[in-house]
């Protein structure tokens, strides 16, 4: 079957340019890119004034299956990804059971084949049970299909264990993704430690709880040669530590979430538990530093940390609510509203941080539009507006702090291997 994407503005994530061209797809593969391609019986997708992008990749998602299917499943999570314009996601291992052995990796991939709508790359645990004591059989995990290692949700507190984990990961060519949190400093806090935690009477989490672990893991990466990726950094200090490490040539990359460049700790006023995330929402100065880090290239990737929870779990007092919010279906709108429209990033720079950069960190296919590539494509309408309404989310959970916010710049087509799975803001599967 032939598809022709007609008259769109193609985003080149290598040159960071945008040029008008048509894209011809035959049996799931891009077979031609040029101006004014003939239709020749192909099904036409009109894309005038829209951005035709490499398929977006979210490298930090919690699909919750196996074990927490009341929150999300592979079926619902991948549908939420499709609605959000993502053609692939990487799923974190803090399921039940933890993804710490080859059998669980294989079972996830089998579920993806049966029920998935977009591509899914499993991330396996660094330590058995993510308990931080004994490293996993990483070779078996890689052979089964794991593409990275992380104890996300839990830090590896023992520096010796983390060092050994990095040494083995380095030998296997796998990146380690760090959840940077010193539990003794976080001390069961519920929000950022500062003015608003005092006003609201909530126990705070200092910026240092993140920064000391960012510093430690950068030093361990420097020591071991391991590729280190820092998940969801949120403070000005973390951004500066990464900036300095990159200048020294350390193999470190990092990501930031849309909620950490959009919201501040002031948004916790009102005790909306949808604002309770880990790391917590930080200050306006931290948000400014994060945006500066995005603009100067210190921050490589934008990832959602999509963390669904049931309504019942979140309908409790703030300090007792679980950390996390859903982000797959609002990410692109927030990127365009908060970063592209104000000029923090160009559209091409933003798309690169959502496509080719995560592909490079994870060493997975995708991230560019070229003849011969699989047709994983996202089309974005930069002028389309939509009010956030979680009742229409494809995700099983609705814990979003952006309810009622109007976002401008939305995905209108998601195509995986040449198959359209979302069109005009509706799932087609």
């Amino acid at each position: 079957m032939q598809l022709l994407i007609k008259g769109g503005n193609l985003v080149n994530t290598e040159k960071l340019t945008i040029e008008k061209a048509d894209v011809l797809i035959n049996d799931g593969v891009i077979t031609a890119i040029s101006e004014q391609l003939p239709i020749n019986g192909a099904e036409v997708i009109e894309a005038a004034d829209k951005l035709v992008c490499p398929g977006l990749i979210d490298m930090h998602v919690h699909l919750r299956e196996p074990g927490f299917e009341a929150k999300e499943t592979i079926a619902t999570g991948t549908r939420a990804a499709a609605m959000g314009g993502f053609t692939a996601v990487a799923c974190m291992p803090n399921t039940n059971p933890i993804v710490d052995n080859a059998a669980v990796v294989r079972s996830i991939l089998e579920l993806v084949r049966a029920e998935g709508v977009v591509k899914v790359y499993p991330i396996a645990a660094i330590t058995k049970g993510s308990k931080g004591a004994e490293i996993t059989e990483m070779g078996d995990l890689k052979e089964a299909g794991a593409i990275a290692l992380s104890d996300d949700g839990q830090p590896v507190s023992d520096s010796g264990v983390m060092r050994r984990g990095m040494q083995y990961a380095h030998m296997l060519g796998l990146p380690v993704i760090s959840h940077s949190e010193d539990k003794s400093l976080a001390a069961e806090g519920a929000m950022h430690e500062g003015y608003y935690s005092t006003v609201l009477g909530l126990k705070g989490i200092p910026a240092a709880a993140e920064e000391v672990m960012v510093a430690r893991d950068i030093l361990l990466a420097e020591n071991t040669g391991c590729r280190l990726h820092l998940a969801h950094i949120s403070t000005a200090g973390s951004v500066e530590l990464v900036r300095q490490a990159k200048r020294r040539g350390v193999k470190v990359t990092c990501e930031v979430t849309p909620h950490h460049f959009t919201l501040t700790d002031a948004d916790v006023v009102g005790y909306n538990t949808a604002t309770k995330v880990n790391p917590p929402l930080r200050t306006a100065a931290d948000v400014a530093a994060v945006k500066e880090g995005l603009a100067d290239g210190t921050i490589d990737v934008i990832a959602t940390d999509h963390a669904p929870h049931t309504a019942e779990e979140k309908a409790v007092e703030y300090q007792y609510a679980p950390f996390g919010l859903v982000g797959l279906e609002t990410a692109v709108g927030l990127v365009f509203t908060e970063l592209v429209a104000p000029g923090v990033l160009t559209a091409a720079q933003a798309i690169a941080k959502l496509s080719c950069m995560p592909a490079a960190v994870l060493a997975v296919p995708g991230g560019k539009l070229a003849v011969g590539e699989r047709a994983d494509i996202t089309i974005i309408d930069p002028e389309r507006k939509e009010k956030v309404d979680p009742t229409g989310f494809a995700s099983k959970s609705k814990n979003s702090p952006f309810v009622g916010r109007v976002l401008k710049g939305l995905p209108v087509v998601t195509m995986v291997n040449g198959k359209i799975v979302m069109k005009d803001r509706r799932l087609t599967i």
Side-chain angles (χ1 to χ4, degrees), residues 190-193 205 234 257 259-268 274-283 286-287 318 325 401-402:
M191 66 173 293
H192 174 71
E193 180 183 273
I205 301 172
S234 65
T257 71
H259 48 278
H260 283 118
F261 63 65
T262 302
L263 304 175
T264 71
D265 54 348
D267 290 290
V268 181
T275 63
K276 187 176 178 183
V277 288
N278 187 7
L281 302 175
R282 302 294 189 180
T283 67
D286 291 308
V287 171
Y318 199 90
L325 58 80
F402 302 111

Side-chain angles (χ1 to χ4, degrees), residues 8-301:
N9 296 310
L10 261 64
V11 178
N12 185 320
T13 52
E14 294 175 325
K15 298 178 180 176
L16 298 179
T17 56
I18 297 176
E19 296 179 353
K20 191 173 288 294
D22 298 344
V23 180
L24 183 65
I25 297 151
N26 201 336
D27 291 331
V29 176
I30 297 173
T31 54
I33 298 177
S34 184
E35 288 189 68
Q36 300 297 324
L37 288 171
I39 296 175
N40 287 341
E43 180 183 335
V44 174
I45 301 171
E46 295 290 349
D49 301 321
K50 298 181 178 62
L51 297 170
V52 181
C53 313
L56 307 185
I57 301 170
D58 189 344
M59 65 173 292
H60 191 149
V61 168
H62 299 271
L63 292 177
R64 302 302 195 199
E65 190 173 10
F68 303 108
E69 288 82 357
K71 303 170 189 270
E72 194 77 286
T73 64
I74 286 169
T76 58
T78 56
R79 281 167 173 74
M83 282 300 299
F86 294 97
T87 59
V89 299
C91 58
M92 286 296 176
N94 54 341
T95 49
N96 186 17
I98 298 278
V99 186
D100 64 358
N101 62 80
V104 182
V105 175
R106 292 192 185 100
S107 70
I108 288 172
L109 291 173
E110 285 175 10
L111 277 169
V112 171
R113 279 190 285 273
E115 301 175 5
V117 173
V118 305
K119 296 174 181 176
V120 176
Y121 300 111
I123 296 170
I126 299 170
T127 64
K128 293 181 179 177
S130 289
K131 294 179 179 177
E134 186 180 358
I135 62 173
T136 52
E137 299 293 339
M138 295 177 178
D140 290 348
L141 290 164
K142 180 181 180 181
E143 188 178 349
I147 47 83
L149 299 159
S150 179
D151 278 1
D152 188 57
Q154 294 293 333
V156 180
S157 297
D158 187 308
S159 299
V161 173
M162 188 62 160
R163 181 169 180 256
R164 283 193 294 281
M166 283 189 175
Q167 288 171 327
Y168 277 96
H170 179 51
M171 284 191 290
L172 293 165
L174 291 172
V176 165
I177 301 174
S178 169
H179 173 104
S180 303
E181 179 185 14
D182 184 313
K183 287 284 191 183
S184 66
L185 288 172
E188 300 182 351
M191 66 173 293
H192 174 71
E193 180 183 273
Y195 171 80
Y196 286 103
S197 64
T198 303
V199 169
L200 296 171
L202 293 170
K203 198 167 183 178
I205 301 172
E210 175 178 311
E211 292 161 0
V212 295
M213 293 295 265
V214 166
R216 183 202 73 170
D217 289 344
I218 286 173
L219 291 171
L220 291 177
E222 204 163 10
N223 174 264
T224 62
C226 177
R227 286 192 292 129
L228 170 69
H229 179 80
L230 298 161
H232 46 49
I233 66 168
S234 65
T235 75
S238 294
V239 175
E240 183 56 29
L241 285 164
V242 175
R243 186 178 286 125
Q244 292 175 10
K246 286 189 170 186
R247 285 176 184 154
R248 297 200 304 275
V250 182
K251 295 175 186 173
V252 58
T253 54
C254 65
E255 70 190 33
V256 69
T257 71
H259 48 278
H260 283 118
F261 63 65
T262 302
L263 304 175
T264 71
D265 54 348
D267 290 290
V268 181
V269 174
Y271 301 97
N272 178 2
T273 57
T275 63
K276 187 176 178 183
V277 288
N278 187 7
L281 302 175
R282 302 294 189 180
T283 67
D286 291 308
V287 171
V290 162
K291 288 182 177 177
E292 186 180 350
L294 283 163
D296 70 14
T298 301
I299 298 173
D300 309 89
V301 169

Side-chain angles (χ1 to χ4, degrees), residues 275-358:
T275 63
K276 187 176 178 183
V277 288
N278 187 7
L281 302 175
R282 302 294 189 180
T283 67
D286 291 308
V287 171
V290 162
K291 288 182 177 177
E292 186 180 350
L294 283 163
D296 70 14
T298 301
I299 298 173
D300 309 89
V301 169
I302 297 170
T304 67
D305 192 7
H306 176 80
H309 293 290
T310 66
E312 292 77 14
E313 288 174 302
K314 282 288 194 178
V316 295
E317 290 179 62
Y318 199 90
Q319 60 267 39
Y320 301 122
F323 292 100
L325 58 80
V326 291
L328 282 167
E329 293 172 74
T330 52
V332 170
L334 289 167
V335 167
F336 274 77
T337 304
E338 300 292 330
L339 300 179
V340 177
V344 177
L345 297 176
T346 66
Q349 288 172 325
I351 296 305
K353 291 179 191 297
L354 287 161
S355 59
C356 67
M357 293 307 295

